[in-house]
Amino acid sequence: MTLLELLTLLRKHLRLVVTLPVACAILMAFGSLLFMHNTYNASTSMYVLASSTTDSSSALSSDLSASQMLTNDVATLLESDRVTADTAKQLGLEDLNAFDISVESESTTRVITLSVTGDNAEDVAAVANGLAANVSAVAREVMNVESVNVIDEAVTPTAPSGPNRMLYVAVAFMAGLFAAVAIVVLMDILDTRVRDAEDIEQLLGVPVIGRIPEMKGGR
């Protein structure tokens, strides 16, 4: 099937090609509003400072090197059972399973970024700040860390971060469009009826040499 034949076929079934994608998009829009809850994200950044045990001129360099080595450990500690359990207890929660906790750190910096996503705007900010406070205390206790200083505290988000309903609607529309095209092509493949002289020529392989006009009114 050539592109021109496909376009001609789609034009013949234009109602289906238009209706199905629009219907899918509308259904997804209502579904996302009814069944997809808003999510909120709050983030905080921390600076890891390692304890310095030297008084030489290289103290700053040693502190920087040690802190960079400990940053990944502190990032892992943020998601440990002890830190999360202490934070949940302080906030009066059973656990933090309802929150999506994401920690980012790079080997070239001593800054850790903590992001918390959940269904409640105030809770995500409280959890992020609670984790930052608790990880500092635990890191001082179990690691050679002088402190984990909060650079930017998490603030209560004023608008939801997700879900991206417009993206879901666009995907549903495209899926409906592809489905409509597939249905039209399948209908054409399964339709074996002979409609005109061109179909006869293709089926029999012989040219049509004459036509009998349709008579109306018995004349």
Side-chain angles (χ1 to χ4, degrees):
M1 180 181 294
T2 65
L3 179 60
L4 181 59
E5 291 174 339
L6 177 60
L7 293 176
T8 303
L9 188 61
L10 294 178
R11 187 180 303 172
K12 290 172 58 178
H13 301 275
L14 187 59
R15 179 176 298 179
L16 174 63
V17 174
V18 173
T19 302
L20 186 57
V22 172
C24 290
I26 293 175
L27 288 175
M28 177 56 70
F30 279 107
S32 64
L33 289 173
L34 294 175
F35 303 108
M36 294 183 183
H37 301 291
N38 288 336
T39 57
Y40 299 86
N41 178 269
S43 60
T44 179
S45 56
M46 291 154 282
Y47 180 87
V48 179
L49 181 62
S51 298
S52 178
T53 59
T54 177
D55 297 328
S56 66
S57 59
S58 62
L60 181 60
S61 176
S62 298
D63 176 70
L64 176 61
S65 177
S67 296
Q68 288 176 341
M69 294 176 62
L70 288 172
T71 297
N72 288 336
D73 293 336
V74 175
T76 303
L77 193 62
L78 273 165
E79 298 181 276
S80 66
D81 292 339
R82 178 175 175 181
V83 174
T84 55
D86 290 346
T87 303
K89 183 178 180 180
Q90 290 176 359
L91 297 176
L93 303 172
E94 292 185 2
D95 51 52
L96 301 183
N97 294 336
F99 300 91
D100 182 17
I101 301 173
S102 174
V103 183
E104 295 182 3
S105 65
E106 299 181 8
S107 59
T108 57
T109 180
R110 291 183 285 178
V111 176
I112 299 175
T113 302
L114 169 67
S115 298
V116 179
T117 304
D119 295 336
N120 186 280
E122 295 180 355
D123 287 346
V124 294
V127 169
N129 290 325
L131 288 171
N134 282 297
V135 76
S136 180
V138 175
R140 288 197 303 268
E141 179 183 341
V142 302
M143 298 178 181
N144 186 30
V145 173
E146 181 175 331
S147 65
V148 180
N149 301 323
V150 175
I151 301 173
D152 296 310
E153 289 189 355
V155 297
T156 302
T158 57
S161 58
N164 191 344
R165 293 185 174 89
M166 292 302 298
L167 176 61
Y168 289 127
V169 171
V171 170
F173 180 87
M174 294 302 299
L177 181 60
F178 287 135
V181 173
I183 291 173
V184 169
V185 173
L186 185 61
M187 289 171 56
D188 183 69
I189 293 175
L190 297 178
D191 188 0
T192 58
R193 292 178 297 176
V194 177
R195 294 185 176 85
D196 50 34
E198 287 75 13
D199 291 342
I200 296 176
E201 291 179 351
Q202 291 179 359
L203 290 173
L204 301 180
V206 295
V208 176
I209 60 175
R211 297 171 183 263
I212 300 177
E214 180 180 358
M215 304 298 292
K216 295 184 178 180
R219 298 180 182 178

